[in-house]
């Protein structure tokens, strides 16, 4: 056996000769960011070998200077001797230090209440058939010696009006002791269905009337859990973290590929349930003194891949033509079926999917946005690890998914990263000196750049003449922040290593810009084709709703300037928060909203862009700043003096 010491984590582990360093780190529960899941394509899993040797190959992702310092890609290096490894803090903190969209409880309540108002104004009632009641039973005597269950049923029949009761075996096992712990005074939690009452929990004594539900947004990058008091629909608390599945790929395709490997599906299932959602639930319960058995309803929303992985369902055919999802509608589930830390009998519901690449997070988002009730033409854009778009109103809804890739989360960008401490999220470039002013997440030094920062940077670069409309850096600019490598690839230096005591400069080069232009082009062309499929264009838009993690810090003006968003009146744009979470919340507190969610999914028409005539032409046209047809962006034409 070979010893591997991860010095940065003070953790020692052992492996076999020839084991992949990335796999060794995963087995030791050390997080190394590897968005491409070991395909040697992203270059993000750089680690530093301090002592010992690995069998590795030189790649374009590691400079000659970095090779001299001992850097290797963990996904491209096999252990051949005892080694010491240092994992840069940027790699090991990008999941747990991630900035999750949100602005405090007051802002959350405002967003949730807006969605509630839309629902209630369109006759969706907020009600639940799950109740909690304190009851006092007659104690048994020699003259009244019926069974415990019959005694309970007699009370329910005489006092609650139900002729039949139902319960699981674990409830039966609790009944004898619970009844006698407090002289046959107990609290029942039950579900009402016509003449039948189903007991889902029984507690000794009076435990109050509060019952809770959980709304969950299962994003590819991050997960948000919201605890709600069901009777009054009150938002109690919210917790969030990175999705632990990030360790096995940044996007759904890489996760699907990993799921096909030996034990891969089980590993991904445990990552989302036991490493992500359950720890979030425990943190909320402890903070608010909540018993998990009082959590009796769960609604979760995620894309089709995330929904499949949540249930441990084999997902590989999602990515293979003709792109068939394993399911669209949620099966009947209880808490114990998916090992969530809630009441074992809690009802668990997944928001319905539309297709392989338009999932429950989008149907939930459409529910919360109120498109289904709107007479105006609404364009809904979810900007995250994936790019999904919906266009419509109360009469119709069209949807599509764009192959934007992980660029909006920093993927495919040399110094890109997710929105966590140290990420540059906003940039302003001085037009005279070309010096950048950086807005950095957290009280720390910069270590990389996230999606919103890249949008600002590209916008500032084209406004200040640093790049042309193809995204190429001008070679005639004499400035220390602009330089070209041995392959004549231009780059702009955001932060010199000497400025912030970094190991390397933070730069964005022409390859990064090209990758991001393709991502923004996918979003714009997808929206354009969606409207074109109905014989319309962007002039018909009344509202543009932006959802997703990047939206909170997105500069709309800059996004229009680079051609990510259509050039329409700025007052039409609105950021609507985590619409997937809000839609889950609505379905949690209202059976009517849950029914509406099913209706939305069944009525939404999906457009497969890969086979749509003319899509590739539109995509190529959109891979320009802002677009090859500048007439589509009149305000940008005026700004750039074209």
């Amino acid at each position: 056996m070979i010893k591997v010491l991860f010095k940065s984590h003070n953790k020692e582990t052992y492996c076999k000769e020839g084991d992949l360093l990335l796999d060794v780190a995963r087995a030791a529960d050390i997080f190394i960011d590897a968005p491409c899941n070991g395909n040697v394509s992203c270059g993000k899993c750089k680690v530093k070998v301090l002592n010992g040797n690995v069998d590795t190959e030189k790649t374009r992702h590691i400079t000659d200077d970095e090779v001299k310092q001992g850097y290797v890609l963990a996904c491209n290096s096999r252990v051949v001797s005892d080694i010491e490894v240092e994992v840069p803090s940027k790699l090991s903190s990008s999941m747990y230090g991630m900035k999750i969209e949100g602005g405090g409880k007051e802002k959350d309540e405002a967003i949730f209440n807006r969605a509630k108002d839309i629902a209630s104004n369109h006759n969706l009632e907020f009600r639940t058939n799950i109740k909690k009641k304190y009851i006092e039973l007659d104690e048994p005597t020699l003259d009244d010696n019926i069974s415990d269950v019959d005694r309970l049923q007699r009370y329910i029949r005489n006092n609650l009006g139900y002729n039949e009761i139902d319960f699981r075996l674990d409830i039966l096992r609790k009944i004898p002791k619970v009844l006698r712990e407090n002289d046959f005074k107990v609290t029942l939690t039950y579900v009402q269905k016509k003449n039948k009452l189903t007991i889902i929990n029984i507690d000794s004594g009076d435990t109050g009337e509060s019952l809770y539900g959980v709304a969950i947004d299962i994003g590819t990058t991050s997960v948000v859990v919201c605890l709600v008091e069901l009777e009054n629909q009150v938002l109690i608390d919210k917790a969030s973290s990175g999705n632990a599945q990030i360790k096995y790929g940044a996007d759904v395709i890489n996760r699907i590929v990993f799921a096909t490997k030996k034990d891969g599906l089980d590993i991904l299932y445990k990552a989302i349930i036991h490493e992500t959602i359950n720890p979030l639930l425990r943190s909320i319960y402890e903070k608010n003194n909540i018993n998990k058995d009082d959590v009796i309803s769960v609604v979760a929303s995620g894309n089709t891949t995330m929904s499949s992985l949540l249930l441990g369902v084999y997902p590989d055919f999602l990515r293979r033509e003709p792109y068939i999802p394993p399911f669209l509608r949620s099966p009947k589930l209880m808490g114990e079926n998916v090992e969530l830390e809630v009441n074992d009998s809690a009802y668990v519901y997944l928001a319905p999917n539309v297709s392989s690449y338009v999932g429950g997070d989008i149907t939930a988002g459409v529910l919360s946005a109120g498109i289904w009730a709107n007479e105006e033409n609404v364009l809904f854009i979810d900007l995250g690890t994936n790019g999904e778009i919906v266009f419509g109103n109360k009469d119709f809804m069209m949807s599509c998914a764009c192959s934007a890739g992980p660029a909006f989360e920093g993927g495919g960008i040399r110094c890109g990263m997710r929105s966590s401490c140290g990420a540059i999220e906003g940039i302003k470039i001085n037009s005279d000196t070309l010096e950048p002013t950086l807005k950095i997440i957290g009280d720390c030094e910069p270590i990389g750049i996230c999606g919103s920062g890249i949008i600002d940077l590209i916008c500032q670069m084209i406004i200040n003449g640093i790049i042309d409309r193809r995204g190429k850096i001008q070679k005639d600019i004499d400035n220390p922040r602009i330089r070209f490598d041995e392959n004549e690839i231009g780059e702009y230096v955001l932060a010199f290593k000497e400025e912030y005591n970094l190991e390397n400069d933070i730069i964005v080069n022409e390859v990064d810009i090209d990758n991001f232009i393709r991502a923004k082009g996918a979003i714009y062309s997808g929206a354009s084709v969606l409207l074109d499929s109905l014989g319309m264009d962007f002039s018909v838009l009344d509202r543009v709703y932006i959802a997703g993690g990047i939206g909170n810090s997105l500069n709309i003006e800059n996004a229009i300037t680079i051609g990510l968003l259509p050039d329409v009146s700025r007052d039409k744009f609105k950021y609507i928060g985590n619409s997937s979470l809000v839609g889950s919340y609505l379905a949690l507190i209202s059976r009517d909203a849950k029914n509406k969610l099913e209706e939305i999914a069944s009525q939404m028409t999906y457009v497969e862009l890969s086979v749509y005539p003319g899509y590739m032409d539109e995509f190529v046209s959109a891979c320009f700043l802002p677009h090859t047809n500048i007439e589509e962006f009149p305000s940008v034409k005026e700004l750039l003096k074209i």
Side-chain angles (χ1 to χ4, degrees), residues 21-276:
L21 185 53
L22 180 60
D23 292 339
V24 175
R26 286 171 171 173
D29 198 28
I30 291 174
F31 177 64
I32 295 179
D33 200 14
C36 73
N37 191 32
N39 293 326
V40 200
S41 60
C42 72
K44 297 290 180 148
C45 62
K46 289 180 190 175
V47 297
K48 192 174 186 179
V49 178
L50 303 175
N51 285 299
N53 296 302
V54 294
D55 182 10
T56 189
E57 294 181 7
K58 178 76 164 62
T59 76
R60 62 182 175 84
H61 301 295
I62 299 181
T63 65
D64 291 338
D65 185 50
E66 288 172 330
V67 170
K68 293 176 183 177
Q69 295 177 54
Y71 280 99
V72 298
L73 294 185
C75 73
N76 193 38
S77 303
R78 297 191 178 276
V79 182
V80 295
S81 68
D82 290 353
I83 57 172
E84 291 184 12
V85 180
E86 182 176 80
V87 181
S89 59
K90 171 184 171 181
L91 295 186
S92 59
S93 65
S94 60
M95 179 175 74
Y96 300 104
M98 194 180 301
K99 177 185 177 183
I100 310 295
E101 172 274 322
K105 192 172 181 179
E106 185 175 332
K107 182 177 179 181
D108 287 336
E109 287 178 345
I111 293 174
F112 281 47
N113 287 336
R114 171 188 174 276
K116 279 183 67 178
D117 288 343
I118 292 172
S120 61
N121 289 339
H122 291 84
N123 303 316
L124 301 190
E125 295 184 12
F126 304 112
R127 55 186 177 179
T128 177
N129 63 342
I130 305 175
K131 302 293 182 182
K132 190 177 182 186
K133 185 173 182 61
Y134 169 72
I135 65 174
E136 296 183 1
L137 303 176
D138 295 330
E139 294 188 41
T141 65
L142 289 176
D143 293 328
D144 182 17
N145 59 356
I146 60 176
S147 74
D148 290 338
V149 170
D150 287 335
R151 185 172 304 279
L152 195 56
Q153 183 158 355
R154 182 176 67 187
Y155 180 93
I156 290 170
R157 184 175 59 249
N158 293 338
N159 295 276
L160 301 181
Y162 292 92
N163 295 321
E164 182 182 355
I165 64 171
D166 188 22
F167 47 83
R168 298 185 329 273
L169 178 59
D170 67 303
I171 297 295
L172 177 59
R173 287 170 175 163
K174 288 180 67 174
I175 285 174
K177 286 188 176 181
V178 169
L179 289 181
R180 289 162 178 81
E181 284 175 356
N182 198 33
D183 302 326
F184 286 77
K185 300 177 178 66
V186 296
T187 298
L188 287 181
T189 303
Y190 57 91
V191 178
Q192 307 170 127
K193 286 187 177 180
K194 297 182 179 179
N195 292 324
K196 182 179 179 181
L197 182 148
T198 300
I199 300 173
I200 60 176
N201 196 35
I202 182 168
D203 287 309
S204 173
D206 187 351
T207 62
E209 296 183 356
S210 293
L211 286 173
Y212 303 92
V214 171
I216 309 175
D217 167 44
I218 306 173
T220 309
T221 301
S222 60
V223 174
V224 186
V225 170
C226 179
L227 181 71
V228 178
E229 198 279 311
L230 292 177
E231 185 64 28
N232 299 306
Q233 305 100 44
V234 175
L235 174 65
I236 302 296
D237 206 350
K238 189 174 79 168
S240 57
S241 77
N243 184 333
Q245 293 176 341
I246 288 173
K247 292 180 284 187
Y248 311 104
D251 53 63
V252 294
I253 298 300
N254 278 301
R255 304 254 180 104
I256 291 171
V257 171
F258 186 84
T260 65
K261 298 179 179 179
K262 182 182 178 183
D263 300 325
L265 186 58
D266 186 54
I267 290 171
L268 290 171
Y269 171 77
K270 289 177 179 176
I272 187 61
I273 295 292
H274 297 290
E275 297 181 44
T276 307

Side-chain angles (χ1 to χ4, degrees), residues 213-217 297-301 347-351 581 583-589 594 597:
V214 171
I216 309 175
D217 167 44
S297 186
V298 177
V299 175
S301 300
Y347 289 90
V348 179
Y349 172 79
L350 302 184
L581 181 69
S584 296
Y585 164 77
L586 290 177
L588 181 71
I589 62 174
K594 188 179 293 184
L597 193 52

